[in-house]
Amino acid sequence: MKKLFSLALMTIAALGAQAQNIQLHYDFGRNLYSNEESDRQKVTVTLEQFKADNWGSWYYFVDIDLTSKHFRSAYTEISREFKLGKETPFAAHVEYNGGLGRDDIHSFQHAALLGPAYNGHSADFSKTWSVQLMYKQFFKSYDWTRAYASFQLTGVWGLTFANKKCTFSGFIDFWRGENWREGHERHGMLVILTEPQFWYNATEHLSIGTEVEISNNFIYNTYNDKSFFINPTLAVKWNF
């Protein structure tokens, strides 16, 4: 029987039943959009871990955004998947999203997600994938937020090639958000966020690469009406 890990995010499942890494990203967004993203962080530290067990798997990551002067915010996603059978690729997915910042503007609205996941991998785990369709409940977190029901469709992939020297991985999210800048007349909008990563695995532990954040209706921008952004990074990763 082929063993199915319930989450393939960032190709962690391809590394084994338990894997952890820490990443350091230098973000070029402020250089590319000096007006729209003048307050964007330049450095992000990411801690990421995956662990499989007999029931399914745990996964979490924490993004810590730093400026030249101070810590600005921390964002986390924590998920648990429960296998729905020994040989089925389907799993039940439960997730929490949220975080804190130095002020309300740089904080994150909390949300809980629940739904089915379809997971798979190639025989040698060089290719991994996951698709999740979830109910998403946003909670009132700050004065400018309100509780509302939503949905989220997530796709995750990982590909290791060139004799394990190169890794292409990432995710894409679609969810219904709200344009709170309209005041009391809140309008629903489709939010798209994807963050493909490419890594050159210099050693078993050290990787050098990039992440490109591509989004629409995701970046908080009060300068103009621009909603589509591409923000690349230069990054290093240490795999424990």
Side-chain angles (χ1 to χ4, degrees), residues 3 51 62 97 133 137 147 150 167 198 206 215 222 236 238:
K3 184 176 182 180
K51 182 178 181 180
V62 180
N97 299 170
L133 179 60
Q137 177 64 49
S150 182
T167 300
F198 178 82
L206 177 64
S215 67
T222 59
V236 293
W238 184 264

Side-chain angles (χ1 to χ4, degrees), residues 25-146:
H25 293 262
Y26 184 86
D27 194 297
F28 293 96
R30 189 188 300 186
N31 304 93
L32 296 175
Y33 308 101
S34 57
N35 293 319
E36 295 89 345
E37 296 190 295
S38 60
D39 193 36
R40 186 176 178 88
Q41 81 285 349
K42 288 189 175 181
V43 176
T44 299
V45 177
T46 299
L47 178 64
E48 184 177 46
Q49 185 173 23
F50 171 90
K51 182 178 181 180
D53 54 42
N54 291 333
W55 287 9
S57 64
W58 282 101
Y59 172 79
Y60 78 87
F61 75 84
V62 180
D63 281 343
I64 301 174
D65 291 336
L66 305 174
T67 70
S68 59
K69 297 179 180 179
H70 51 68
F71 154 88
R72 195 180 77 169
S73 63
Y75 174 78
T76 185
E77 293 187 4
I78 304 171
S79 65
R80 172 73 206 188
E81 288 201 350
F82 297 93
K83 294 186 291 186
L84 299 180
K86 290 184 178 181
E87 298 186 14
T88 177
F90 292 97
H93 185 101
V94 182
E95 184 175 330
Y96 164 80
N97 299 170
L100 298 172
R102 298 183 74 250
D103 51 51
D104 285 358
I105 296 299
H106 295 117
S107 293
F108 303 89
Q109 188 170 5
H110 300 272
L113 301 90
L114 173 65
Y118 179 87
N119 308 297
H121 60 79
S122 61
D124 60 356
F125 286 94
S126 63
K127 302 179 183 67
T128 59
W129 58 87
S130 178
V131 178
Q132 303 142 23
L133 179 60
M134 297 170 287
Y135 169 81
K136 188 172 188 178
Q137 177 64 49
F138 283 95
F139 301 99
K140 179 176 174 59
S141 303
Y142 309 101
D143 290 341
W144 48 267
T145 64
R146 74 180 185 107

Side-chain angles (χ1 to χ4, degrees), residues 200-233:
Y200 173 72
N201 304 313
T203 71
E204 179 184 357
H205 298 287
L206 177 64
S207 300
I208 303 168
T210 182
E211 175 183 272
V212 182
E213 180 190 275
I214 305 170
S215 67
N216 193 54
N217 290 327
F218 177 71
I219 300 295
Y220 172 67
N221 171 29
T222 59
Y223 182 79
N224 55 27
D225 294 330
K226 182 177 177 59
S227 62
F228 179 79
F229 292 88
I230 300 176
N231 294 297
T233 74

Side-chain angles (χ1 to χ4, degrees), residues 8-11 157-159 167-171 195-199 237:
L9 189 57
M10 314 296 282
T11 67
W157 71 89
L159 174 63
T167 300
F168 177 59
S169 59
F171 71 88
E195 294 183 1
Q197 294 186 343
F198 178 82
W199 298 100
K237 177 170 66 171

